[in-house]
Amino acid sequence: MSLVTLLPFIVLIGAMFLMTRSAKKKQQQAADMRNQMQPGSGVRTIGGMYATVKEVSEDTVLLDAGPGVELLFAKNSIGAVLTDDEYNRIVHGIEHDLKSDADIVPDDASSLTETDASAADDSDDTPVDLGKKDAADEPKADAAPAEATTDEQPKKSDGGSAAK
């Protein structure tokens, strides 16, 4: 057999080797992460539940999910071991601000722009007319044209107009 005939098989075996190697590497990292769990650590299960580790045994983990709620999970059902800051941010809503000395951004942009007293006096706070008018705002016309329009009946068409 020639090398050209064996080349597709060699490439296929190489690709399978690389895929299984990366999967084993990920499994090993997950096992190491689970072995580093200790009581007091915040964890997220593969189902998405956040809890605190209360007890760790060889194959199981006892989790404290709240006041008086203790749950027994298999060790391989732990999806992630969280840092204390991340766990407190997610579960308790406590933000640990790393930039506590940074400038605080105001809620409005008025303090970000420089204004002087003359510019403030020149601006007027009158509303801008955008062309939309309410029926109540329109001035009423003379009474005679209004009566003339009420006497006229709307014309009904029999459909014989040029619209056909």
Side-chain angles (χ1 to χ4, degrees):
M1 292 196 149
S2 69
L3 185 62
V4 176
T5 311
L6 292 176
L7 189 61
F9 294 113
I10 293 170
V11 170
L12 183 64
I13 290 171
M16 288 174 47
F17 173 74
L18 290 176
M19 286 191 290
T20 57
R21 183 173 179 219
S22 66
K24 283 183 183 179
K25 195 175 195 180
K26 286 181 184 180
Q27 286 177 349
Q28 184 63 36
Q29 287 177 346
D32 290 343
M33 180 253 327
R34 290 183 188 113
N35 289 332
Q36 292 175 356
M37 276 189 302
Q38 53 187 335
S41 299
V43 296
R44 181 183 66 238
T45 64
I46 58 174
M49 184 183 72
Y50 293 92
T52 305
V53 176
K54 190 167 187 178
E55 223 176 85
V56 179
S57 65
E58 191 170 327
D59 293 333
T60 60
V61 178
L62 184 65
L63 300 178
D64 183 18
V69 180
E70 294 179 354
L71 304 166
L72 187 64
F73 275 82
K75 224 178 195 183
N76 61 359
S77 67
I78 303 299
V81 178
L82 307 172
T83 63
D84 291 336
D85 291 337
E86 186 178 10
Y87 180 77
N88 287 331
R89 180 183 57 82
I90 293 169
V91 175
H92 303 295
I94 300 171
E95 291 287 334
H96 180 69
D97 193 12
L98 298 175
K99 297 179 181 179
S100 59
D101 298 334
D103 294 334
I104 298 173
V105 178
D107 289 339
D108 61 345
S110 63
S111 64
L112 297 176
T113 58
E114 292 184 31
T115 59
D116 54 348
S118 63
D121 293 338
D122 292 343
S123 67
D124 56 338
D125 292 332
T126 58
V128 177
D129 183 23
L130 299 175
K132 182 177 179 182
K133 297 192 180 210
D134 293 333
D137 292 342
E138 293 180 7
K140 293 187 178 183
D142 294 337
E147 291 172 1
T149 56
T150 56
D151 292 339
E152 297 176 8
Q153 295 292 329
K155 295 182 180 179
K156 294 183 181 179
S157 62
D158 60 350
S161 64
K164 285 188 176 180

